[in-house]
Amino acid sequence: MAATLITLQPRPADQPIDPSVDHGIQAIVAGTVAAETCNTDLAAGPWAFDARPGYGPGSSMGDVIPTGAPRQGELPAAYRDASEAELDARIRAAKAVLGDRVVVMGHHYQREEIIVHADHTGDSFQLAGFAQQHPDAEAIVFCGVHFMAETADLLSRPDQAVILPNLAAGCSMADMASIDEVEECWEQLADVYGDMDSVDADGLVPVIPVTYMNSSAAIKGFVGRHGGIVCTSSNARTVLEWAFARGRRVLFFPDQHLGRNTAKAMGVPLAQMPMWNPRKPLGGSDEDQLADARVILWHGFCSVHRRFTVDQIAAARAEHPGVRVIVHPECPMDVVDAADEAGSTDYIRKAIAAATEPTVFAVGTEVNLVQRLAAEHPQHTIFCLDPVVCPCSTMYRIHPGYLAWVLEGLVDGEVRNRVTVPADVADPARVALERMLAARP
């Protein structure tokens, strides 16, 4: 396939970069800018999709959502019809009334109109730590996706309310590994390896389960019960080192790409990283392949990062000689190999901030973060590798209308959209998370 050139329009020196992806999408749909978005429905309010099954428009719109996935109730018209300026004012007013009683967390992939109201911004690893730093707050409003709110509930005090502004903000990657599928996998692996708790002559158990932060609380609880650990893109290598010190091999889920890219960088041969497809007996491998395995990779992926391609990197290099290409390790292996660097969202942010000379950066991660970095560092030229504007479907479900609604509910003494994890799941999940927090890179 021929590479499509990413043509950047020159920007007047006195014109600041707008960090809002929403403004860009609105302009694309209105026809006032010559660019492309993956779905023009992104210009509508997320409430237009709340009653429908599915992840909504954006990168995950083609993924199959599990039956029974959380839905969001109807947002009152006063919030649906309010202007951007009105919602901004209402959010600021509610936060002023609530003061230290509430803490707003914002993931880096959130739209700019949410990030401006966040008390803490960060990736999933950082926000997990921030959730523990406010024991006196009555509520934590988590502007991210469902598994992140669950994690905040696990790490916060029992009497603190963790609120997800839009309950439909799930995660298609997290949904690719259900607790039933993982437990069935574990049973099949036990048929191959024997007693999963027994240690060999080197003191290693047959398998250590490792789940990416992008997984349900039920999966984290499974990992905690079976001697495993949670990882993030920031500490994946440290976590795999921890696991290899305790187990002969690792079962890594739900993101195959983070697992493969991290293990490959540690010297694990690809031949020793079989894929586990939960829809096939023994995951699609045979007993000999599993016996030789070092990392068993779950058949899951991030639909945002799967959009990035080697052709896009070739196009960026053709149009911008000397471009510095940085991608997230959730990207496919060939994309990571073709890039100059790969790292977590925090790594990407720090790499750009540390560049002392004007540089052209092509970045392979969620477009809201890329656009914000471009606005924060106008001395550089920063653009998203994917020329089609296609944000994370579920992160984009958090809109200022929902944030205003939950905050004004707190002002009125009403807790809306509280996310809680049952105790029987929370206790082992908390063990796995505490291991993660101790595994600092």
Side-chain angles (χ1 to χ4, degrees), residues 177-199:
S178 72
I179 185 61
D180 291 342
E181 289 172 330
V182 170
E183 288 179 341
E184 172 61 25
C185 167
W186 196 253
E187 290 177 7
Q188 291 187 49
L189 292 178
D191 291 339
V192 175
Y193 300 130
D195 183 356
M196 300 290 263
D197 295 322
S198 65
V199 297

Side-chain angles (χ1 to χ4, degrees), residues 224-404:
R225 290 195 305 274
H226 293 283
I229 187 171
V230 180
C231 82
T232 74
S233 56
S234 298
N235 72 348
R237 183 182 184 118
T238 303
V239 164
L240 283 186
E241 291 170 348
W242 181 97
F244 284 138
R246 292 161 175 79
R248 182 61 58 191
R249 55 190 65 79
V250 168
L251 172 62
F252 190 97
F253 47 88
D255 181 33
Q256 59 172 295
H257 300 300
L258 177 64
R260 182 182 296 107
N261 290 323
T262 305
K264 180 188 174 192
M266 296 171 66
V268 178
L270 294 177
Q272 291 185 303
M273 289 190 269
M275 182 86 73
W276 186 278
N277 186 330
R279 289 169 291 282
K280 297 180 179 180
L282 291 183
S285 298
D286 58 39
E287 293 196 10
D288 289 340
Q289 290 172 311
L290 292 173
D292 191 47
R294 288 281 283 151
V295 179
I296 302 167
L297 300 167
W298 195 266
H299 192 269
F301 53 84
C302 170
S303 292
V304 168
H305 292 103
R306 196 173 67 159
R307 290 184 59 87
F308 300 111
T309 66
V310 173
D311 280 346
Q312 291 169 357
I313 293 177
R317 295 198 191 284
E319 189 165 355
H320 303 280
V323 65
R324 186 171 166 187
V325 180
I326 309 180
V327 302
H328 195 281
E330 289 177 18
C331 293
M333 181 180 69
D334 60 345
V335 174
V336 170
D337 290 347
D340 298 307
E341 303 160 64
S344 67
T345 52
D346 190 50
Y347 175 92
I348 293 169
R349 291 178 67 252
K350 288 179 177 176
I352 291 174
T356 56
E357 297 297 323
T359 305
V360 178
F361 288 96
V363 183
T365 194
E366 213 278 341
V367 65
N368 280 281
L369 174 60
V370 179
Q371 186 69 8
R372 191 172 304 120
L373 289 170
E376 291 173 354
H377 302 280
Q379 74 275 26
H380 303 310
T381 299
I382 301 171
F383 62 92
C384 187
L385 263 177
D386 185 359
V388 177
V389 179
C390 196
C392 172
S393 297
T394 51
M395 289 283 187
Y396 218 60
R397 298 297 284 265
I398 306 294
H399 182 279
Y402 296 99
L403 180 56

Side-chain angles (χ1 to χ4, degrees), residues 150-191:
E150 286 185 327
T151 300
D153 183 61
L154 291 168
L155 297 175
S156 60
R157 286 195 346 262
D159 59 329
Q160 285 180 299
V162 175
I163 293 169
L164 182 64
N166 185 340
L167 292 177
C171 173
S172 59
M173 180 207 290
D175 290 339
M176 290 175 190
S178 72
I179 185 61
D180 291 342
E181 289 172 330
V182 170
E183 288 179 341
E184 172 61 25
C185 167
W186 196 253
E187 290 177 7
Q188 291 187 49
L189 292 178
D191 291 339

Side-chain angles (χ1 to χ4, degrees), residues 68-81:
R71 300 272 190 93
Q72 174 61 40
E74 185 177 24
L75 184 69
Y79 300 96
R80 301 196 308 267
D81 298 338

Side-chain angles (χ1 to χ4, degrees), residues 407-422:
L407 288 173
E408 291 185 343
L410 291 173
V411 171
D412 294 337
E414 180 183 353
V415 177
R416 297 166 174 162
N417 284 14
R418 183 170 185 174
V419 173
T420 57
V421 179

